[in-house]
Amino acid sequence: MASEERRWFGFLIVVVVLFNAITLSPLVPWQSWSLWSQPTPDRRVTIEMANYEFGLPPQGIEVKANEYVEFVATSRDVTYGFGVFRPDGTLVFQMQVLPGRENKIVWKFDAPSMYDVRSTEYSGPRHPEMFIEDAIRVTP
Amino acid sequence: MTRIGWLEKWTLRFAVVGLLFLALAILEGALMRVQLVDQGALRGMESLLMNVRLVSGEVSSSDVFYSMLTAHPIVGIYGFAYMCVMGAFYFLVPFLLKKEIRHKRLVPVNFWLHIAGVLIAWGAGFFVLFNGLYTLYWPLPVSYDRVPLIGSIIFGLGLVLIEVNVLLFVFNLFSTVLTRSEPNAPGFWRTLFSAIGIPRLLRRGGKVSDDARPHPDELPVFIVAVGRGSIDTAINAIVMLSAGALLLVYGLPTLLAGVRMDPAAIDSLLYKNWFWWGLDMIADGNVLMYTAGTWYLLIPLLVNRKLYGESVVRWVILADLLVSLFVWSHHLLADRPQPFGLQLLSGQFVTWGEFLTMGLTIFTVMMTIWLARPVKFSPALKFVMGSIFGFIVGGMAGLTQANVGLNLVLHNTQWIIGIHAHMMLLGGLAMLLFAVIYALIPLLTKLEIRSQRLVNYHFWGWIVGAVMMAYAMGMAGSQGMLRRTLYATTQFQPYMIVAFVGALLMSVAFVLFLVNLIGTLGWSNVLSLVLPERWLARRLGHAAA
């Protein structure tokens, strides 16, 4: 290996280490609980999906800002996605919802607001219909 | 009319059909872009097309969009890229090894079987509106309340034909490389060890140095890359073959005997792991290795200088092969039941191994060009530089999403398919295939590319269009726009309009490329690829008289 190659290889290694260290650290906000503290959830919300529909709790989803909420989604037919979106359309978080499995994610909302829910995985031609506006109310 | 040899003619046939499939993929892509700008814009065309489709009842824009989305990658990858790769390798491998293709009869078989397979899979989408997408996430492709049963069977049949054909092609390539051409030539095992790099390792005690003489058994580095990439090609074919066969196993008893097998018999997560392990052998396997090998071959030829750091790149190709076997989990970072250890190790850390292997590859080829200054930027070299740019941008976007943290907000968004996948495919892979075509035409036909001005228009139109499209899609993705989702609202319309303009620019560039290609070859040579030569010569003789 020539000296230029060694130097370049060293540079590549530094980039790999830095990028991975930063993105695994709490500098990415949700890594602080999903990877490091892994807290016991304050609340559990179950969602049952089937036939292009979200089965949300009958009383709706209302959670407090800064509490840890565990979303548990199941599917009775095909693979769906469970995605939570801000009112401006940007994505907060998501997970795939595989049939025959319990699909869980813990989240902490940092601001009170209303959030939309949309399926993030294609499940057939009616997939775009899987959208619920203001499905989650986050209170102070 | 130029006299073109048997193998050269087949190479050109593969390239021409590959380009026709690219034209089809571009058309489908542009139509889907139109639908993403305005969902109902194609209604008139759709009602006309219903006259040739084999479906009855009401068909929605969504049905048409998702069937196009299913066919589009099959046409683009297996139709365009694989056809061009097969044609190029069928010429280059025997040319560099100075021996004949081992099974010449397989060359036309590969040609026709591949066209048939791609057209059947495409036809499942076009005629029957099969909409299971290329991902075929279990059990969607056998959920006949969502996808048409007959479409699922036809798509499965097309996939099986394509993959059987790919396995035949790989068999023919390995047979050609490993067959002894003369009594003193290295035999099967010596060639195999040399391809893996064992003689080099034994001779130098593992020390990698660039100044030592090559081992007498050593194969050209391009052949090594083709060999190692073809291992991934074969694995991909076997896995995709199993996916296609599964569609037939579930579909045929339902169609013929009304027997419905239980889709739950196959675990969706296990299936997804198997499927992505195989499918990823294209994206993170053969594409990278074939690309690296083609750069290693073309760049020294184009700049007239020995490849810089050849010893290192042989190890890099081997590392790439190993990395490609263990990266599939980056497609399952949003699947919470997937073991976290696999997500972190395979999905993130091993995937980042590609940053090292591709980083070294790009350094090698850039150093080769740098040390060869002053360099004349021929058409092929311009497109090689474009492909390096495409792989850098698309690769970095891919590594950003291959991250257990960031994937949470990037998975399944337009970011993934725009700035990563399409930049890799249109900026990286397609530009490299254009470079190969520009480099091979003079070699195959002894004809020089006719118009340098059209080459430049092709280059700038294609790269600017690809960047516009990828950037607009990436921005839309970062704002929350999902892939595989047809929005009824106009929220992301500005991004989609920019992406559409980018697609149009690429389409114009592609047409200019075809004009230049036909101008270079001449109609008589183009027609001689499909019509009997004697008949054509007689007709041309009459016309001249």
Side-chain angles (χ1 to χ4, degrees):
Chain A
M1 213 178 203
S3 60
E4 298 96 336
E5 277 175 311
R6 273 200 299 274
R7 279 201 291 273
W8 177 249
F9 190 59
F11 168 74
L12 295 177
I13 296 271
V14 170
V15 174
V16 170
V17 171
L18 276 180
F19 185 89
N20 282 279
I22 290 169
T23 54
L24 291 173
S25 77
L27 285 172
V28 175
W30 51 90
Q31 296 290 46
S32 67
W33 69 83
S34 67
L35 200 60
W36 298 106
S37 66
Q38 299 189 343
T40 308
D42 302 304
R43 197 185 295 264
R44 183 183 161 101
V45 175
T46 57
I47 303 111
E48 288 178 8
M49 300 173 80
N51 196 27
Y52 294 110
E53 283 181 2
F54 289 99
L56 301 180
Q59 72 278 16
I61 303 174
E62 187 169 318
V63 301
K64 287 196 176 76
N66 293 319
E67 71 175 353
Y68 291 106
V69 186
E70 183 179 50
F71 292 91
V72 183
T74 51
S75 162
R76 288 210 306 270
D77 38 42
V78 298
T79 300
Y80 297 99
F82 178 73
V84 174
F85 293 79
R86 295 182 189 87
D88 66 0
T90 52
L91 185 51
V92 181
F93 71 89
Q94 63 173 313
M95 65 173 159
Q96 294 272 292
V97 181
L98 297 171
R101 301 272 176 170
E102 258 199 350
N103 307 271
K104 301 178 194 171
I105 191 166
V106 174
W107 198 257
K108 184 177 79 170
F109 292 92
D110 57 3
S113 179
M114 299 299 286
Y115 292 85
D116 305 333
V117 165
R118 186 186 280 281
S119 174
T120 50
E121 185 53 82
Y122 174 74
S123 52
R126 285 179 53 207
H127 151 69
E129 297 168 19
M130 297 187 71
F131 173 70
I132 304 178
E133 202 172 354
D134 297 337
I136 302 174
R137 172 189 293 274
V138 178
T139 57
Chain B
M1 206 167 87
T2 311
R3 192 93 195 144
I4 304 174
W6 183 86
L7 194 58
E8 288 82 350
K9 200 171 256 190
W10 276 110
T11 292
L12 285 172
R13 284 180 183 133
F14 274 103
V16 167
V17 174
L19 291 173
L20 290 175
F21 277 129
L22 176 61
L24 179 58
I26 288 174
L27 178 66
E28 285 171 339
L31 291 175
M32 285 189 287
R33 301 254 135 257
V34 170
Q35 279 193 296
L36 285 167
V37 173
D38 177 2
Q39 201 181 124
L42 301 180
R43 223 161 265 153
M45 191 190 80
E46 284 163 18
S47 57
L48 261 179
L49 287 176
M50 280 305 288
N51 294 316
V52 294
R53 287 195 166 121
L54 307 173
V55 288
S56 54
E58 202 177 320
V59 171
S60 67
S61 296
S62 184
D63 288 318
V64 175
F65 179 81
Y66 288 114
S67 61
M68 262 198 284
L69 197 57
T70 303
H72 178 66
I74 301 294
V75 175
I77 301 289
Y78 288 115
F80 162 56
Y82 267 59
M83 280 303 267
C84 288
V85 164
M86 281 195 235
F89 288 2
Y90 264 147
F91 172 72
L92 288 170
V93 170
F95 180 76
L96 291 170
L97 294 176
K98 297 181 179 61
K99 53 179 160 179
E100 293 221 318
I101 284 284
R102 178 76 174 86
H103 303 285
K104 285 176 100 170
R105 269 186 294 187
L106 270 183
V107 178
V109 170
N110 278 151
F111 179 79
W112 289 112
L113 207 54
H114 209 75
I115 294 174
V118 173
L119 284 181
I120 288 171
W122 171 82
F126 183 79
F127 291 109
V128 200
L129 297 179
F130 175 67
N131 53 9
L133 298 195
Y134 76 99
T135 43
L136 298 173
Y137 284 159
W138 198 261
L140 179 64
V142 296
S143 300
Y144 304 126
D145 55 332
R146 293 163 196 249
V147 304
L149 165 64
I150 190 77
S152 177
I153 293 170
I154 295 173
F155 189 83
L157 179 68
L159 206 52
V160 166
L161 277 184
I162 291 170
E163 304 308 345
V164 166
N165 190 53
V166 169
L167 287 174
L168 288 174
F169 167 71
V170 170
F171 164 74
N172 206 6
L173 268 192
F174 278 117
S175 301
T176 304
V177 174
L178 297 173
T179 303
R180 200 193 291 251
S181 55
E182 53 190 65
N184 295 333
F188 178 87
W189 291 109
R190 272 171 64 193
T191 311
L192 193 66
F193 287 157
S194 155
I196 298 168
I198 288 177
R200 189 173 276 262
L201 181 69
L202 293 177
R203 196 173 51 161
R204 299 191 191 140
K207 191 180 169 199
V208 178
S209 106
D210 194 34
D211 51 0
R213 285 173 292 106
H215 190 277
D217 289 357
E218 219 154 58
L219 294 164
V221 69
F222 170 74
I223 301 291
V224 174
V226 168
R228 291 175 189 171
S230 295
I231 294 172
D232 279 11
T233 304
I235 296 173
N236 165 263
I238 290 165
V239 172
M240 296 304 286
L241 181 62
S242 72
L246 214 49
L247 299 191
L248 299 180
V249 166
Y250 272 76
L252 287 174
T254 311
L255 179 74
L256 301 174
V259 177
R260 184 82 176 95
M261 290 164 69
D262 182 13
I266 292 171
D267 181 80
S268 57
L269 182 62
L270 200 62
Y271 174 91
K272 208 169 181 180
N273 273 281
W274 168 248
F275 186 85
W276 273 120
W277 180 67
L279 191 58
D280 205 48
M281 296 287 168
I282 294 183
D284 294 273
N286 66 14
V287 167
L288 300 188
M289 278 176 271
Y290 287 165
T291 295
T294 309
W295 285 340
Y296 299 151
L297 173 72
L298 275 188
I299 289 173
L301 286 174
L302 295 171
V303 302
N304 200 22
R305 189 202 180 272
K306 177 177 164 281
L307 182 67
Y308 170 86
E310 189 179 318
S311 292
V312 174
V313 304
R314 285 175 185 270
W315 291 107
V316 168
I317 305 167
L318 186 58
D320 242 335
L321 174 62
L322 296 173
V323 165
S324 69
L325 295 174
F326 300 101
V327 294
W328 80 96
S329 260
H330 61 234
H331 293 281
L332 287 97
L333 293 179
D335 292 83
R336 307 298 291 182
Q338 177 80 344
F340 180 72
L342 260 182
Q343 289 181 323
L344 190 62
L345 197 66
S346 148
Q348 182 166 330
F349 293 155
V350 183
T351 303
W352 266 84
E354 286 174 3
F355 181 75
L356 301 178
T357 55
M358 284 310 277
L360 283 171
T361 300
I362 288 170
F363 182 75
T364 296
V365 295
M366 293 304 284
M367 279 297 280
T368 307
I369 297 169
W370 178 256
L371 294 173
R373 286 166 301 147
V375 170
K376 180 177 178 287
F377 280 89
S378 60
L381 190 56
K382 279 178 194 161
F383 277 85
V384 164
M385 296 299 287
S387 77
I388 293 172
F389 170 75
F391 275 107
I392 291 174
V393 177
M396 288 313 300
L399 289 168
T400 309
Q401 74 217 24
N403 183 285
V404 290
L406 302 182
N407 191 265
L408 215 63
V409 288
L410 292 175
H411 187 83
N412 262 0
T413 63
Q414 289 278 333
W415 170 282
I416 307 254
I417 198 62
I419 203 157
H420 169 54
H422 275 79
M423 202 58 207
M424 294 284 272
L425 291 169
L426 298 174
L429 183 62
M431 288 197 92
L432 182 65
L433 291 171
F434 289 138
V436 172
I437 291 171
Y438 279 127
L440 282 189
I441 291 287
L443 205 61
L444 295 170
T445 64
K446 312 281 181 285
L447 296 166
E448 286 304 316
I449 299 297
R450 190 165 175 179
S451 167
Q452 291 303 311
R453 183 177 292 185
L454 285 183
V455 170
N456 287 336
Y457 289 160
H458 174 210
F459 176 81
W460 287 111
W462 188 269
I463 200 163
V464 171
V467 169
M468 268 177 84
M469 194 172 104
Y471 181 74
M473 289 166 79
M475 284 299 291
S478 70
Q479 297 300 307
M481 185 180 180
L482 298 173
R483 68 189 288 204
R484 303 173 187 154
T485 300
L486 197 52
Y487 287 85
T489 57
T490 55
Q491 187 181 359
F492 299 108
Q493 214 177 42
Y495 297 110
M496 292 301 103
I497 290 172
V498 176
F500 178 65
V501 173
L504 274 187
L505 204 52
M506 279 193 294
S507 308
V508 172
F510 181 67
V511 170
L512 295 178
F513 164 69
L514 291 183
V515 168
N516 203 10
L517 199 62
I518 293 169
T520 302
L521 292 173
W523 276 109
S524 54
N525 283 321
V526 175
L527 291 175
S528 78
L529 298 175
V530 286
L531 299 172
E533 225 166 85
R534 199 176 299 167
W535 181 86
L536 195 65
R538 209 166 46 232
R539 299 289 298 178
L540 289 172
H542 281 308

